[in-house]
Amino acid sequence: MAARKETNRYYPPEFWDDPKFGDKSNLNSFRGEGWRNRGAQVNSKLLTQGRNVIRFETPFDIWCGGCNEVIHKGVRFNSDKNKAGKYFTTQIWHFDLKCHLCDHMMVVGTDPENCTYKCVSGCRRKVESWEEDEDTLKRPDIRDKRKMEDDPFYRLEHYAAADGSGRTSDEVRGKEAKASLYQLKAMQDVRSSDDGMLNRALRKSFQQQKKDDFEQEKLDAAERERFNMHIPLLPASEDDAAAARAQAFGLQGLSEEERYEAARRKARRAVMNVPILQQQRAPSTPHSSLSSATSSCSASRASTSASPLDKIRALALARQRGG
């Protein structure tokens, strides 16, 4: 492995010509990138001082006790790893973290009892809660899950089916659906046994659909030409038909009382449009027309010599005879 790694690296000629570097030197020192190995050097130096510095990630969102800022889950720190007792035979560890915003020291420790971490000092855990409703999916508790797997009496009391068989409701539903699943599988096997027949049926359905689309396009083009429209027409649907049937024009869709009221208003408007002093004309005959002409002529002659009052009377008499 060491030989393979060495051959995969490129060493320039200057590396071998420089007397400062030899076989035991590395490329990082030659390129001036000695800081790449500084982490291991610092860690080894701290080990000599009795300190165990490791790379630690925050297991959850925490609030810093110094600057009161949120440090999100997964942020990495160079932390001191210290022993802080035991839980039965399990070692408890504390990790000293320095906030990158305010240099405040925080301590996060392991919690073997609950199989998690806890905030010891200098910080607190950020708790995010939400309101549960009917649509919220409740995740089963890990303790209840373990009890259901290990304790048959607990499973019988809390997760048993209603048929009294002692099995869970999922097992009962699975057994009931097994026959239908086998039937569906058998039908699918029969259908997929002949690939040529399936391909033929699929191509036939595509051809029929293409033909129907072509006929519908011709009908739509004729409809657009008839209405002088240049926009594409969507196919008719049941919702469009229901909306069209719901439209009411005139007296359609009105109740009996509404129709009666509309007819009454129409008759009233017709009466109001007729003048009060309506003239009734008699059927015209040659004798009546002659007499009316004679009377009108006599009235016109009399009007030239009579007074204004006599003119009005003669005109009224002529109208009565002519009416």
Side-chain angles (χ1 to χ4, degrees):
M1 294 295 292
R4 180 184 62 80
K5 292 181 180 178
E6 185 176 0
T7 54
N8 286 340
R9 294 176 183 174
Y10 173 73
Y11 289 86
E14 295 82 3
F15 179 81
W16 306 107
D17 297 340
D18 196 340
K20 296 180 181 180
F21 299 95
D23 297 340
K24 296 182 180 180
S25 303
N26 52 33
L27 291 174
N28 293 334
S29 301
F30 175 74
R31 297 171 181 170
E33 299 177 354
W35 54 270
R36 294 184 180 275
N37 298 329
R38 194 171 300 167
Q41 296 173 4
V42 171
N43 194 13
S44 61
K45 184 177 179 181
L46 294 176
L47 283 175
T48 59
Q49 299 176 2
R51 297 175 58 186
N52 185 12
V53 179
I54 65 169
R55 198 70 171 163
F56 181 78
E57 292 184 2
T58 51
F60 40 73
D61 296 347
I62 60 176
W63 293 92
C64 176
C67 59
N68 201 22
E69 292 290 339
V70 179
I71 301 175
H72 293 284
K73 177 182 177 180
V75 179
R76 297 182 179 182
F77 293 90
N78 292 328
S79 63
D80 291 342
K81 181 180 178 181
N82 303 317
K83 295 181 180 181
K86 288 188 176 182
Y87 176 75
F88 294 104
T89 59
T90 304
Q91 185 69 46
I92 299 176
W93 298 94
H94 281 181
F95 304 94
D96 300 337
L97 315 176
K98 181 184 288 187
C99 180
H100 60 287
L101 300 174
C102 63
D103 293 340
H104 178 72
M105 294 302 299
M106 303 174 292
V107 180
V108 178
T110 58
D111 187 6
E113 182 180 1
N114 300 318
C115 300
T116 183
Y117 291 86
K118 63 180 180 180
C119 296
V120 179
S121 62
C123 61
R124 68 182 188 275
R125 183 170 183 174
K126 182 181 179 182
V127 179
E128 297 180 352
S129 59
W130 61 89
E131 295 182 0
E132 296 184 357
D133 52 7
E134 297 179 356
D135 299 333
T136 303
L137 181 61
K138 295 183 178 180
R139 184 177 180 181
D141 189 7
I142 187 171
R143 295 183 180 180
D144 294 342
K145 187 176 180 180
R146 290 178 179 176
K147 286 184 179 180
M148 187 181 67
E149 293 176 355
D150 301 337
D151 192 352
F153 290 100
Y154 184 84
R155 183 169 61 251
L156 180 62
E157 292 174 357
H158 295 82
Y159 297 95
D163 57 354
S165 60
R167 296 173 298 178
T168 62
S169 56
D170 294 339
E171 294 176 352
V172 173
R173 287 198 301 268
K175 186 176 181 180
E176 292 176 354
K178 186 178 292 185
S180 60
L181 291 176
Y182 281 128
Q183 185 178 1
L184 292 175
K185 185 176 181 300
M187 292 173 59
Q188 189 65 23
D189 293 340
V190 172
R191 291 178 179 177
S192 60
S193 59
D194 191 354
D195 297 338
M197 186 65 67
L198 290 176
N199 191 8
R200 179 182 177 184
L202 185 61
R203 286 188 288 107
K204 185 177 180 180
S205 63
F206 285 162
Q207 292 173 0
Q208 184 65 30
Q209 183 178 1
K210 186 177 180 180
K211 184 178 180 181
D212 296 342
D213 294 343
F214 182 73
E215 295 293 335
Q216 186 66 32
E217 182 63 27
K218 290 176 60 177
L219 294 176
D220 293 343
E223 196 73 12
R224 289 196 300 267
E225 185 69 21
R226 187 166 67 91
F227 289 104
N228 194 16
M229 299 174 61
H230 301 282
I231 58 176
L233 298 178
L234 296 177
S237 61
E238 292 294 336
D239 298 337
D240 297 339
R245 287 193 297 268
Q247 299 294 331
F249 301 96
L251 300 180
Q252 296 180 1
L254 301 179
S255 61
E256 185 177 357
E257 291 81 4
E258 293 175 347
R259 289 197 299 270
Y260 172 76
E261 187 66 23
R264 190 181 68 83
R265 288 196 298 266
K266 184 177 180 181
R268 185 176 180 84
R269 284 195 300 269
V271 172
M272 294 297 293
N273 292 331
V274 176
I276 299 175
L277 301 176
Q278 184 177 7
Q279 299 178 357
Q280 298 180 359
R281 295 184 178 182
S284 61
T285 59
H287 179 70
S288 62
S289 59
L290 181 60
S291 60
S292 61
T294 305
S295 61
S296 61
C297 292
S298 60
S300 61
R301 293 195 195 99
S303 62
T304 55
S305 60
S307 63
L309 184 59
D310 295 336
K311 292 180 180 181
I312 294 174
R313 290 176 180 175
L315 184 60
L317 182 61
R319 287 185 177 181
Q320 289 179 3
R321 290 178 180 178

